[in-house]
Amino acid sequence: MTARNDAQEFSAPGIRPGSRSLAGRTLLLSGGSRGIGLAIALRAARDGANVALLAKTGEPHPKLEGTVYTAAEQIEAAGGRALPLVGDVRNDDDVRAAVDATASTFGGIDVVVNNASAIDLSRTPDVDMKRYDLMADINVRGTFLLSKSALEALKRSDNPHILTLSPPLNLTPEWAGRHLAYTMAKYGMSLTTLGLAEELKDDGVAVNSLWPATLIDTAAIRAMPGGDRIVRAARSPRIVADAAHAVLVRPARDCTGNFYTDEQVLREEGVTDFTPYSLGAPEDRLVPDIFL
């Protein structure tokens, strides 16, 4: 994929190119070898951003496409500077090393994107406790740890943002009853947004969450039973990437403590036609995402 094609693919319909930019800004993103994380990284790269990717996939996975190194190649081809970092967001030393390497390589950190997440929608009798621990460690602890570890660097930025891919805190019992273990793990990420936004409001660090309004075509969804059928009623990760970009270029002191959906953000940017993000299903046939 050439830089020109990246620029065409990751362009939000209705948003004027070049109106606001992440040029020269430094993002540290957990995950990012594929899917939504990679889409966010490529959208930033189009502006000429520096993107550090902390991900476990250093070697090709037998079932999942992409590694941290292939993602870095795509970022550079799209016009950004890339720093691939093989590591585990659950590991304190890996996270500290990633923060230090990002800050020393690019001269600071402006944005942290908590994208890494594990999913298991099993009900309580069926969930394996190893999967429970995995979700708790990656989703909740990993988000807290990466955010905490980058705080000092972020406070030195003139427009610092933490953006977490997690849902609004919807306490309707339905969501806890459907998949309690996963709900607790995702809501733990959202509680981190809620708490850090309050804790850091006087420091000028924006802390927000972003969640898709509809199902998104990702490797995790395709790996689920019937996944190839389910994603036909999904949107491309590009919609989340464009929404993330729109949030991250906003003045940090003017937008914190929000639980955005991708549609909400893009409507605020003047987008009214979301059909270019669809994988082919009519808008009224798209599957709403969970937790909404």
Side-chain angles (χ1 to χ4, degrees), residues 66-198:
T67 70
V68 68
Y69 299 113
T70 60
E73 291 172 358
Q74 292 182 60
I75 289 166
E76 302 246 344
R81 296 175 62 199
L83 178 63
L85 300 164
V86 177
D88 191 333
V89 75
R90 297 172 292 175
N91 184 290
D92 295 22
D93 291 339
D94 286 357
V95 172
R96 281 193 292 264
V99 169
D100 290 345
T102 303
S104 62
T105 299
F106 298 123
I109 299 174
D110 300 296
V111 173
V112 166
V113 178
N114 291 300
N115 167 71
S117 186
I119 182 172
D120 187 326
L121 299 180
S122 300
R123 293 173 65 86
T124 299
D126 303 317
V127 69
D128 184 279
M129 288 310 294
K130 289 184 178 179
R131 292 291 299 175
Y132 177 98
D133 290 341
L134 181 72
M135 289 190 289
D137 284 349
I138 293 177
N139 300 9
V140 188
R141 190 180 190 278
T143 294
F144 184 89
L145 175 61
L146 183 57
S147 301
K148 167 186 166 67
S149 300
L151 284 182
E152 290 307 311
L154 285 168
K155 289 177 182 179
R156 292 191 288 269
S157 170
D158 61 2
N159 196 43
H161 281 262
I162 297 173
L163 185 65
T164 297
L165 277 297
S166 68
L169 287 164
N170 183 348
L171 296 183
T172 302
E174 172 188 2
W175 300 116
R178 281 195 190 183
H179 31 65
L180 178 58
Y182 182 61
T183 299
M184 287 193 291
K186 292 306 292 188
Y187 281 12
M189 298 172 75
S190 299
L191 281 170
T192 303
T193 291
L194 186 70
L196 281 181
E198 179 68 17

Side-chain angles (χ1 to χ4, degrees), residues 211-216 233-235 239 262-263 283 286-289 292:
W211 193 244
T214 68
L215 193 69
I216 299 296
R235 285 177 174 154
I239 189 170
D262 51 6
E263 278 191 16
E283 290 290 290
L286 295 174
V287 176
D289 210 343
L292 298 177

Side-chain angles (χ1 to χ4, degrees), residues 55-66:
K56 291 194 303 178
T57 313
E59 298 294 330
H61 190 281
K63 295 182 179 179
L64 300 174
E65 182 180 354

